Amino acid sequence: MKYILSALVLVAAFASCAPKTDLVSKANVRNTPVLALKGVNDIASIELSSVTDTSYNICGVSLALGSTCGLEDISKVSILSGDSEVAAVDTRIEGKRADIRIPCEIPVRGQRASFGIGITTADAVNLDNKIVIGGVKVITSSGTVDSELTGAAQLRMGVALRMWGQDGV
Protein backbone atom coordinates (compact mmCIF):
# COMPACT_ATOMS: atom_id res chain seq x y z
CA MET A 1 0.00 0.00 0.00
CA LYS A 2 2.87 2.34 0.86
CA TYR A 3 4.44 1.72 -2.58
CA ILE A 4 1.17 2.43 -4.42
CA LEU A 5 0.74 5.70 -2.52
CA SER A 6 4.35 6.69 -3.31
CA ALA A 7 3.83 5.88 -6.99
CA LEU A 8 0.65 7.99 -7.11
CA VAL A 9 2.46 10.96 -5.51
CA LEU A 10 5.28 10.68 -8.08
CA VAL A 11 2.84 10.45 -11.00
CA ALA A 12 0.92 13.49 -9.72
CA ALA A 13 4.16 15.46 -9.31
CA PHE A 14 5.32 14.67 -12.86
CA ALA A 15 1.87 15.41 -14.30
CA SER A 16 1.85 18.87 -12.70
CA CYS A 17 5.29 19.59 -14.20
CA ALA A 18 4.25 18.62 -17.73
CA PRO A 19 4.55 21.51 -20.19
CA LYS A 20 1.28 23.31 -20.88
CA THR A 21 0.23 23.41 -24.52
CA ASP A 22 -2.98 25.34 -23.93
CA LEU A 23 -3.35 28.03 -26.55
CA VAL A 24 -5.57 31.09 -26.20
CA SER A 25 -6.90 32.87 -29.27
CA LYS A 26 -8.40 36.35 -29.59
CA ALA A 27 -9.97 37.69 -32.77
CA ASN A 28 -10.60 41.41 -33.21
CA VAL A 29 -13.04 42.28 -36.00
CA ARG A 30 -12.24 45.72 -37.42
CA ASN A 31 -15.04 48.27 -37.67
CA THR A 32 -14.43 49.16 -41.32
CA PRO A 33 -16.58 48.65 -44.39
CA VAL A 34 -15.82 45.79 -46.75
CA LEU A 35 -15.18 47.56 -50.06
CA ALA A 36 -16.01 46.16 -53.48
CA LEU A 37 -13.35 46.40 -56.23
CA LYS A 38 -10.61 46.89 -53.61
CA GLY A 39 -8.89 43.53 -53.57
CA VAL A 40 -8.41 41.93 -50.16
CA ASN A 41 -10.18 43.69 -47.27
CA ASP A 42 -8.37 43.04 -43.96
CA ILE A 43 -11.37 42.46 -41.66
CA ALA A 44 -9.93 40.81 -38.54
CA SER A 45 -6.71 40.20 -36.66
CA ILE A 46 -6.14 36.99 -34.73
CA GLU A 47 -3.58 36.50 -31.99
CA LEU A 48 -2.61 33.14 -30.52
CA SER A 49 -0.75 33.03 -27.23
CA SER A 50 0.63 30.31 -25.01
CA VAL A 51 1.93 30.22 -21.45
CA THR A 52 5.25 28.67 -22.51
CA ASP A 53 7.47 28.68 -25.59
CA THR A 54 6.00 26.04 -27.85
CA SER A 55 6.39 24.81 -31.40
CA TYR A 56 3.28 23.96 -33.38
CA ASN A 57 1.72 24.49 -36.80
CA ILE A 58 -1.38 26.44 -37.70
CA CYS A 59 -3.19 23.96 -39.96
CA GLY A 60 -6.19 26.10 -40.84
CA VAL A 61 -8.83 28.57 -39.80
CA SER A 62 -12.56 27.94 -39.67
CA LEU A 63 -14.70 31.04 -40.11
CA ALA A 64 -18.43 31.00 -39.28
CA LEU A 65 -20.32 33.67 -41.14
CA GLY A 66 -23.30 33.74 -38.75
CA SER A 67 -26.47 35.30 -40.13
CA THR A 68 -24.79 36.84 -43.13
CA CYS A 69 -27.08 38.04 -45.89
CA GLY A 70 -25.77 37.59 -49.37
CA LEU A 71 -22.95 35.05 -49.31
CA GLU A 72 -22.74 35.59 -53.07
CA ASP A 73 -21.04 38.94 -52.34
CA ILE A 74 -17.96 37.12 -50.96
CA SER A 75 -15.65 35.69 -53.63
CA LYS A 76 -12.58 34.78 -51.55
CA VAL A 77 -11.56 34.42 -47.89
CA SER A 78 -7.84 34.66 -47.05
CA ILE A 79 -5.33 34.26 -44.25
CA LEU A 80 -2.97 37.24 -44.20
CA SER A 81 0.51 37.65 -42.80
CA GLY A 82 1.42 41.31 -42.93
CA ASP A 83 0.34 42.49 -46.38
CA SER A 84 0.74 39.13 -48.08
CA GLU A 85 -1.79 36.37 -48.58
CA VAL A 86 -0.66 33.07 -47.00
CA ALA A 87 -3.67 30.91 -47.92
CA ALA A 88 -7.06 31.46 -49.51
CA VAL A 89 -10.31 29.73 -50.40
CA ASP A 90 -12.18 30.80 -53.52
CA THR A 91 -15.81 30.67 -52.40
CA ARG A 92 -17.03 30.81 -56.01
CA ILE A 93 -15.52 27.34 -56.50
CA GLU A 94 -16.03 25.94 -52.99
CA GLY A 95 -19.68 27.00 -52.88
CA LYS A 96 -21.65 29.47 -50.84
CA ARG A 97 -21.77 28.16 -47.31
CA ALA A 98 -21.74 29.88 -43.93
CA ASP A 99 -18.82 27.85 -42.49
CA ILE A 100 -15.60 28.35 -44.42
CA ARG A 101 -12.41 26.40 -43.66
CA ILE A 102 -9.15 27.83 -44.95
CA PRO A 103 -6.41 25.18 -44.91
CA CYS A 104 -2.82 26.33 -44.46
CA GLU A 105 0.52 25.25 -42.98
CA ILE A 106 2.12 28.01 -40.87
CA PRO A 107 4.91 27.01 -38.46
CA VAL A 108 4.89 28.83 -35.11
CA ARG A 109 7.78 29.00 -32.67
CA GLY A 110 7.42 30.82 -29.35
CA GLN A 111 4.64 32.19 -27.19
CA ARG A 112 2.79 34.43 -29.67
CA ALA A 113 1.59 34.32 -33.26
CA SER A 114 -0.62 36.74 -35.12
CA PHE A 115 -2.22 36.86 -38.54
CA GLY A 116 -5.19 38.42 -40.29
CA ILE A 117 -8.36 37.36 -42.08
CA GLY A 118 -9.20 39.01 -45.39
CA ILE A 119 -12.29 39.01 -47.59
CA THR A 120 -12.42 39.76 -51.30
CA THR A 121 -15.82 40.73 -52.65
CA ALA A 122 -17.45 40.04 -55.98
CA ASP A 123 -17.34 42.87 -58.52
CA ALA A 124 -21.00 43.75 -57.94
CA VAL A 125 -22.32 43.69 -54.36
CA ASN A 126 -25.61 44.48 -52.67
CA LEU A 127 -24.89 47.46 -50.42
CA ASP A 128 -27.70 46.42 -48.04
CA ASN A 129 -25.90 43.19 -47.12
CA LYS A 130 -23.89 42.86 -43.93
CA ILE A 131 -21.10 40.42 -43.09
CA VAL A 132 -21.46 38.90 -39.62
CA ILE A 133 -18.54 36.97 -38.13
CA GLY A 134 -20.21 34.38 -35.91
CA GLY A 135 -17.05 32.60 -34.77
CA VAL A 136 -13.42 31.87 -35.54
CA LYS A 137 -11.63 28.60 -34.80
CA VAL A 138 -7.91 28.13 -35.28
CA ILE A 139 -6.92 24.56 -36.12
CA THR A 140 -3.40 23.76 -34.89
CA SER A 141 -1.27 20.65 -34.61
CA SER A 142 -1.96 20.90 -30.83
CA GLY A 143 -5.75 20.96 -31.29
CA THR A 144 -8.56 23.35 -32.20
CA VAL A 145 -8.80 26.69 -30.40
CA ASP A 146 -12.00 28.78 -30.28
CA SER A 147 -11.25 32.48 -30.61
CA GLU A 148 -12.72 35.08 -28.29
CA LEU A 149 -14.40 37.63 -30.58
CA THR A 150 -14.14 41.37 -29.96
CA GLY A 151 -14.82 44.38 -32.14
CA ALA A 152 -17.56 45.00 -34.69
CA ALA A 153 -20.72 42.90 -34.57
CA GLN A 154 -21.27 43.23 -38.31
CA LEU A 155 -19.44 44.72 -41.27
CA ARG A 156 -21.27 46.71 -43.91
CA MET A 157 -20.60 46.50 -47.63
CA GLY A 158 -19.39 49.59 -49.47
CA VAL A 159 -17.99 50.99 -52.67
CA ALA A 160 -15.09 53.46 -52.65
CA LEU A 161 -16.09 56.55 -54.63
CA ARG A 162 -12.61 57.98 -54.86
CA MET A 163 -9.25 56.37 -55.32
CA TRP A 164 -5.89 57.07 -53.70
CA GLY A 165 -4.37 60.32 -55.00
CA GLN A 166 -7.65 61.56 -56.47
CA ASP A 167 -8.57 65.07 -55.26
CA GLY A 168 -5.99 65.05 -52.47
CA VAL A 169 -7.29 61.85 -50.88
Side-chain angles (χ1 to χ4, degrees), residues 14-22 50-54:
F14 282 116
S16 66
C17 295
K20 293 183 180 180
T21 59
D22 293 330
S50 176
V51 177
T52 60
D53 282 341
T54 57

Side-chain angles (χ1 to χ4, degrees), residues 10-33:
L10 285 174
V11 168
F14 282 116
S16 66
C17 295
K20 293 183 180 180
T21 59
D22 293 330
L23 295 172
V24 176
S25 177
K26 294 184 180 181
N28 183 29
V29 180
R30 293 181 175 81
N31 191 13
T32 57

Side-chain angles (χ1 to χ4, degrees), residues 38-87:
K38 177 187 182 254
V40 179
N41 291 274
D42 188 1
I43 63 159
S45 60
I46 299 175
E47 183 163 322
L48 283 168
S49 60
S50 176
V51 177
T52 60
D53 282 341
T54 57
S55 297
Y56 57 93
N57 289 331
I58 298 173
C59 304
V61 174
S62 179
L63 186 66
L65 299 176
S67 58
T68 301
C69 298
L71 288 174
E72 65 276 356
D73 287 346
I74 299 171
S75 65
K76 184 169 65 168
V77 181
S78 311
I79 296 175
L80 308 171
S81 178
D83 289 335
S84 62
E85 204 173 67
V86 177

Side-chain angles (χ1 to χ4, degrees), residues 33-34 67-74 121-122 124-132 154-158:
V34 177
S67 58
T68 301
C69 298
L71 288 174
E72 65 276 356
D73 287 346
I74 299 171
T121 65
V125 297
N126 182 346
L127 296 179
D128 292 330
N129 287 344
K130 307 277 190 252
I131 297 175
V132 178
Q154 61 183 359
L155 302 171
R156 64 190 187 282
M157 303 297 279

